[in-house]
Amino acid sequence: MGFFLTIEGVEGAGKTTAKAVVLRWLQECGHEFIATREPGGTPLAEQLRALVLGEHEEQVSDTTELLLMFAARSQNLSERIEPSLAAGKVVVCDRFTDATYAYQSGGRGIDEQRIAVLEQLVQGDRRPDMTLLLDVAPEVGLARARGRATAEGGELDRIEQEAIEFFHRVRSVYLQRAARFADQYVVIDASQSVANVEQQIVGALQARLG
């Protein structure tokens, strides 16, 4: 029934680099796989992503943000994730519901039970088989994110512009979930060199997927 692997972390933790390492390893080992992201992953879900991350004249309420996240997730699940898992593929997803608990519950302060209700409605019993958590101090991650935005000639998105305290709460929830779901999570120290991070990721993949 395939293998569902997610990559999590605060802004600037190195998820893009980690994803590239994972996909290269899967290809070298002959695994069939697809890559997707959240919010996003399908044309409709990407439109919802733009709504979530973009600037608006009106204030986006926390509940609106939460519902947009799950609307995009529902589309990604039905169109890409579930069919690929049913076909026996490895699905690599840049963020999933753990991010919603971290950002919308930890960061925004939404009761996690409200998130749990939507989680059950949208995905039933579907949970990641493995989650790579790229852990780094928010100060370090945000500095990287700003540097990336400057290099690319862009700007930080609506969520990336939150205060540093927001990201400390996000990181805290990630680490709490990693402790709570130890069989699912592999915590990677993302403050290390790229070579060391890659070594940790490959070791985790070899342990679970051979």
Side-chain angles (χ1 to χ4, degrees):
M1 290 297 293
F3 189 87
F4 189 20
L5 188 156
T6 59
I7 303 172
E8 299 281 0
V10 299
E11 272 64 22
K15 292 186 291 85
T16 300
T17 301
K19 188 175 181 180
V21 171
V22 171
L23 298 183
R24 184 173 66 246
W25 184 86
L26 291 172
Q27 186 172 31
E28 291 173 351
C29 293
H31 291 283
E32 284 192 86
F33 63 89
I34 69 155
T36 187
R37 68 175 181 174
E38 293 216 344
T42 79
L44 176 56
E46 288 292 330
Q47 292 181 53
L48 293 169
R49 177 187 179 89
L51 289 175
V52 170
L53 299 181
E55 295 286 351
H56 304 280
E57 292 184 3
E58 59 189 296
Q59 181 72 27
V60 179
S61 78
D62 294 347
T63 299
T64 297
E65 182 179 274
L66 176 65
L67 292 172
L68 285 170
M69 289 290 190
F70 271 105
R73 181 163 299 135
S74 176
Q75 192 69 14
N76 198 17
L77 277 163
S78 63
E79 291 295 313
R80 298 205 66 202
I81 295 175
E82 292 295 355
S84 298
L85 291 173
K89 297 179 181 179
V90 177
V91 174
V92 181
C93 192
D94 183 341
R95 293 205 169 119
F96 195 60
T97 309
D98 290 276
T100 305
Y101 281 102
Y103 279 79
Q104 278 67 54
S105 181
R108 301 288 187 213
I110 294 176
D111 187 337
E112 69 173 21
Q113 290 306 312
R114 295 175 66 191
I115 297 174
V117 170
L118 291 171
E119 180 180 30
Q120 185 62 36
L121 173 67
V122 168
Q123 62 198 73
D125 294 330
R126 174 62 66 199
R127 301 291 185 275
D129 295 297
M130 178 181 177
T131 296
L132 296 175
L133 173 60
L134 283 298
D135 181 51
V136 69
E139 290 84 357
V140 174
L142 286 174
R144 291 176 180 174
R146 292 189 194 98
R148 180 192 65 224
T150 300
E152 296 175 354
E155 298 179 353
L156 297 178
D157 64 41
R158 186 177 64 84
I159 294 179
E160 288 174 333
Q161 294 177 39
E162 290 289 341
I164 192 68
E165 292 79 14
F166 174 91
F167 296 102
H168 278 290
R169 295 193 298 271
V170 169
R171 183 192 188 194
S172 178
V173 170
Y174 268 136
L175 292 174
Q176 289 171 23
R177 291 184 68 79
R180 180 180 175 188
F181 303 106
D183 291 342
Q184 171 189 331
Y185 271 82
V186 176
V187 180
I188 305 293
D189 181 356
S191 67
Q192 299 184 78
S193 68
V194 173
N196 284 345
V197 170
E198 180 172 346
Q199 185 177 32
Q200 291 180 75
I201 292 170
V202 170
L205 293 171
Q206 289 173 336
R208 292 297 301 272
L209 287 167

